[in-house]
Amino acid sequence: MSRRALRRLRGEQRGQEPLGPGALQFDLRDDDDAEEEGPKRELGVRRPGGAGKEGVRVNNRFELINIDDLEDDPVVNGERSGCALTDAAAPGNKGRGQRGNTESKTDGDVTETAPSEQSHASGKLRKKKKKQKNKKSSTGEASENGLEDIDRILERIEDSTGLNRPGPAPLSSRKHVLYVEHRHLNPDTELKRYFGARAILGEQRPRQRQRVYPKCTWLTTPKSTWPRYSKPGLSMRLLESKKGLSFFAFEHSEEYQQAQHKFLVAVESMEPNNIVVLLQTSPYHVDSLLQLSDACRFQEDQEMARDLVERALYSMECAFHPLFSLTSGACRLDYRRPENRSFYLALYKQMSFLEKRGCPRTALEYCKLILSLEPDEDPLCMLLLIDHLALRARNYEYLIRLFQEWEAHRNLSQLPNFAFSVPLAYFLLSQQTDLPECERSSARQKASLLIQQALTMFPGVLLPLLESCSVRPDASVSSHRFFGPSAEISQPPALSQLVNLYLGRSHFLWKEPATMSWLEENVHEVLQAVDAGDPAVEACENRRKVLYQRAPRNIHRHVILSEIKEAVAALPPDVTTQSVMGFDPLPPSDTIYSYVRPERLSPISHGNTIALFFRSLLPNYTMEGERPEEGVAGGLNRNQGLNRLMLAVRDMMANFHLNDLEAPHEDDAEGEGEWD
């Protein structure tokens, strides 16, 4: 018979018990026991524990939060799993047994039914616990399977406008080759692995206590020394979404456009102080920050240069569209739009600073991010750099995978950097002792095959590479017609530029003695094939003459940004003769302009040297036919302007002040003919 039936037989009703001092206390026992011992509770009821343990006194319902059993007890479907109840109902629990005996002595009518009911209740609790455990495991498996399908479902969701949501890449065992891991975008993650968290975060912890918790960003961490952030008028909009790709574009407000026009005037003045003045009014103008960063870098102030680039990245990240994802690899930015180029250049400069700082793994993620923004066009030609960063970060598997997936449609083996870096990655992978012997031998064979193909296709790389590594080749190699000086001289200029770029950046990766001995073995194998008249040698020679006639514009842009002397010296004259601006090097010929810069009110006459000299002394001077400067009433004709300039020069030489200029006298007009 249940406790409720027994209570009804006694004439008792629930809720009519007298309220005592412990009536509002809580006990971690089941409801039947709590109701059964309600009148016998003490002020602080002990929680039943295991054998030999003393229970916890609970005087406040909120103290239950700190009980260890509740923390360990999982919640399934809004209910606790009943671990505490099961422990309380266990047959070996002494406290529960004593309460059962006391009840049997007190109520003689139910002496025989109490133990059987307790055992029955404990059996129910065990069954309930098993069911909940099974339910927990089933729900856990369902949640894991559900997580795999969430992103696939999100890809099919369309907005009311018909635009696809650019969600993250599908979760799978093999991520997209351009997938960016956001935890590797933070250089502190890599530095902690090298030096430990205490060395990296030791100086940052006191400052973090006092900061005001600015907006959380992935690319940079805001600093307390930066100006207070206010929206500079930079924003991003979604252009279209098709085939799983989303195309975005940055936009400039009217206020930001005015700052951009002032910046262009400051750049034309060739004076960095004018950019500093502009940043005082627009502290988060991106192009000004990037241009001033270059000026600081040329003056060997690397810390300030890096700080300015980080501030530019922070300004652009705060303007991101809510659907723009840095890590998915499915968001695109058209480089033909000038508003988007600043983001490319800021990422590239930050990547360069990270590489020099000794964070190649973080720099590799930035390189993947830049490449994912427009992988087909590759405006900054990051394919000439990604192999170098992968080797420096010792991420050989990623470089091999990129080569295997993109070789079919991008012909990566036709680039000297990939032709030599991929076999080097295979060889270094074969040197790892933690791999099985079969994998190591397979990687070694693949490395030898690929390096022989690279030496056959690009024979002009060998001798400059050995010279850069301070290695003297054998006489049989240096005097051979295939690898001799004629091989370097006969290669096209565009190919020489790529070779110089690769050697100037990655030659030190070949200096290891084991690498050199492996290279020497394969060089002799290639010489034997050349002497034997292998038809592949002639085919590679014909391919070199056809493929490398002229380098595209994005390679020239990459060479300018890399600042490698050997590669810059190999640029064609049509690139070196034109002016290259640091904030926009070699803009595309098919640029898409959102707004046009207004014409200046007083254009400078570049052909008149005397006019330029006088204008530097007196800016209000205007040539005949020119419009006066803004703010000047009327204007001066040519003769009056010349007379006034002469007076200004005379007074400046006498008093070294330009504030005491006098108006031209009437008798000065007599000498006007002398200047015509």
Side-chain angles (χ1 to χ4, degrees), residues 316-376:
M316 304 197 79
E317 188 171 1
C318 290
F320 280 174
H321 192 275
L323 300 180
F324 184 80
S325 174
L326 290 172
T327 60
S328 65
C331 297
R332 300 289 183 263
L333 284 176
D334 194 349
Y335 192 80
R336 294 176 299 173
R337 298 180 179 271
E339 297 86 352
N340 295 340
R341 296 174 197 165
S342 302
F343 188 56
Y344 280 89
L345 297 175
L347 289 175
Y348 187 93
K349 295 178 187 296
Q350 178 72 352
M351 178 192 64
S352 301
F353 283 124
L354 290 171
E355 182 186 3
K356 295 176 182 178
R357 193 181 176 186
C359 301
R361 184 67 180 86
T362 310
L364 176 61
E365 294 300 317
Y366 272 83
C367 184
K368 289 161 59 178
L369 174 58
I370 299 173
L371 184 59
S372 68
L373 295 178
E374 198 170 357
D376 295 333

Side-chain angles (χ1 to χ4, degrees), residues 184-205:
H184 288 301
L185 290 174
N186 187 359
D188 292 341
T189 304
E190 186 172 4
L191 293 176
K192 288 176 189 176
R193 189 169 69 249
Y194 297 151
F195 307 105
R198 186 180 297 274
I200 303 303
L201 300 178
E203 298 180 357
Q204 298 180 6
R205 286 170 182 169

Side-chain angles (χ1 to χ4, degrees), residues 148 170 189 204 212 240 309 415 482-483 521 609 634 637 655:
E148 296 178 357
T189 304
Q204 298 180 6
V212 197
E240 61 177 346
V309 171
L415 297 174
F482 188 72
F483 287 119
E521 296 174 1
T609 306
N637 59 34
N655 303 322

Side-chain angles (χ1 to χ4, degrees), residues 320-519:
F320 280 174
H321 192 275
L323 300 180
F324 184 80
S325 174
L326 290 172
T327 60
S328 65
C331 297
R332 300 289 183 263
L333 284 176
D334 194 349
Y335 192 80
R336 294 176 299 173
R337 298 180 179 271
E339 297 86 352
N340 295 340
R341 296 174 197 165
S342 302
F343 188 56
Y344 280 89
L345 297 175
L347 289 175
Y348 187 93
K349 295 178 187 296
Q350 178 72 352
M351 178 192 64
S352 301
F353 283 124
L354 290 171
E355 182 186 3
K356 295 176 182 178
R357 193 181 176 186
C359 301
R361 184 67 180 86
T362 310
L364 176 61
E365 294 300 317
Y366 272 83
C367 184
K368 289 161 59 178
L369 174 58
I370 299 173
L371 184 59
S372 68
L373 295 178
E374 198 170 357
D376 295 333
E377 299 296 332
D378 194 8
L380 299 187
C381 210
M382 302 310 297
L383 289 177
L384 299 178
L385 176 61
I386 193 170
D387 62 303
H388 169 76
L389 295 177
L391 290 175
R392 284 201 59 189
R394 300 183 180 180
N395 199 348
Y396 311 129
E397 295 84 357
Y398 174 77
L399 177 58
I400 293 172
R401 181 190 168 195
L402 177 65
F403 178 76
Q404 292 175 348
E405 293 187 9
W406 283 26
E407 168 63 17
H409 65 283
R410 298 296 292 268
N411 295 324
L412 297 182
S413 59
Q414 305 305 316
L415 297 174
N417 58 310
F418 267 93
F420 283 87
S421 294
V422 173
L424 180 59
Y426 273 110
F427 174 75
L428 295 176
L429 197 62
S430 67
Q431 300 296 307
Q432 295 183 357
T433 57
D434 56 343
L435 292 178
E437 183 63 28
C438 58
E439 294 184 9
R440 294 172 56 186
S441 60
S442 176
R444 180 69 177 259
Q445 294 176 2
K446 189 69 174 178
S448 300
L449 177 63
L450 291 177
I451 193 62
Q452 292 175 18
Q453 295 177 359
L455 291 171
T456 305
M457 183 65 188
F458 306 105
V461 178
L462 180 62
L463 292 185
L465 175 61
L466 297 178
E467 183 180 358
S468 301
C469 297
S470 302
V471 176
R472 180 177 298 177
D474 295 340
S476 59
V477 176
S478 58
S479 60
H480 198 279
R481 59 178 179 83
F482 188 72
F483 287 119
S486 59
E488 184 180 359
I489 297 174
S490 61
Q491 61 188 4
L495 181 58
S496 299
Q497 185 176 1
L498 293 176
V499 171
N500 292 331
L501 183 65
Y502 174 69
L503 295 179
R505 176 178 285 156
S506 305
H507 69 275
F508 65 90
L509 298 174
W510 295 81
K511 287 187 175 181
E512 294 294 331
T515 305
M516 276 296 168
S517 61
W518 165 72
L519 178 62

